[in-house]
Every structure is written in C-alpha cells, then in structure tokens.
Amino acid sequence: MIIIKRNGKFNIPAGDAFVGCDKENSPVVKEFFVEDVIDLSLIFRMTLLFDDGTSRFFILESEVTDGGTRLKWNATREQIYKDGIVKMQIKASNPSGLVFHSEQANLVVRTSVELENVVNG
C-alpha cells in the first residue's frame, strides 16, 4: 500500500511503483492511505503526466477510516496507455475548493510485448 503523509509526501514501497504494462486488458489495483485526512465530503482526483506531455485524470474510490482515508485505483489500459516513467499527483477537494494535494511521485509503466511481435524459436 502506498502511504501519503499529511504533508503530501509519498511513501511508495518498491513493488508498488509498478502500475502495469501499456495497453494491457488486465487492470492493476493500487491502494493508497492518506494519513490524517478524515473528511467524508472530499473527492480525490489522480492526475497522471506522461513523458510526452499527455495527461490523464480520474476520480479515485475513497473510504474514510480510523486515522485517514483509503483510496483505490483500478488502473485501466486507457489510463496507462504509454510505457515509461509517469508522474502522479493526488488532490482532494470539496464544494468549498481544494483541501489537500500530494507532491508528485513517479510510477513505472512497462512495455507490453505483443504476441504477433514474438518470434518462436
């Protein structure tokens, strides 16, 4: 699980930096825990920035628990369409405006080897 401190800093275990392979059908599920952010009215949005300048954003599932908020991201092939290092940032807002934002962190999307490109030998 990826931990996000109240000050917005990430604690990403090595295995959690990998979010899948580009254009693959099987989604990867990533879980986050935002420490000390306990507000049922918050909507959490993740933005991904790819090295070609393309960005994607989407809403994360959230659940307020003791000590913070759990977030869940079901990464889809449309969201991780390109391989490489991807910058990620999470922001939370309510009807009054922006309440919380994380620092940027790097994630890894690997290249998917298509079956027709593989030479059997």
Side-chain angles (χ1 to χ4, degrees):
M1 180 179 295
I2 298 171
I3 305 295
I4 306 171
K5 303 288 188 181
R6 179 66 176 129
N7 63 5
K9 294 186 183 292
F10 281 95
N11 180 359
I12 304 176
D16 283 328
F18 171 68
V19 293
C21 294
D22 63 326
K23 303 177 196 85
E24 284 197 350
N25 288 326
S26 55
V28 174
V29 176
K30 291 294 175 187
E31 293 187 351
F32 302 83
F33 185 74
V34 185
E35 293 181 341
D36 301 327
V37 175
I38 304 170
D39 185 343
L40 292 171
S41 71
L42 293 179
I43 296 173
F44 288 85
R45 183 178 79 177
M46 175 184 279
T47 301
L48 301 178
L49 177 62
F50 294 84
D51 60 4
D52 66 356
T54 305
S55 64
R56 299 276 193 269
F57 72 90
F58 40 89
I59 305 300
L60 299 172
E61 294 178 36
S62 63
E63 175 188 6
V64 172
T65 64
D66 289 336
T69 301
R70 288 184 178 275
L71 305 174
K72 187 164 131 181
W73 173 33
N74 294 306
T76 65
R77 64 186 272 164
E78 291 80 19
Q79 294 166 344
I80 57 171
Y81 77 101
K82 185 179 180 315
D83 68 310
I85 302 297
V86 180
K87 290 187 186 298
M88 163 191 65
Q89 187 172 42
I90 295 175
K91 296 181 180 181
S93 59
N94 63 20
S96 300
L98 183 65
V99 174
F100 169 84
H101 70 84
S102 71
E103 293 186 340
Q104 292 182 10
N106 292 331
L107 300 175
V108 177
V109 177
R110 294 194 184 125
T111 301
S112 179
V113 177
E114 298 302 323
L115 194 55
E116 64 266 12
N117 295 335
V118 176
V119 177
N120 293 325

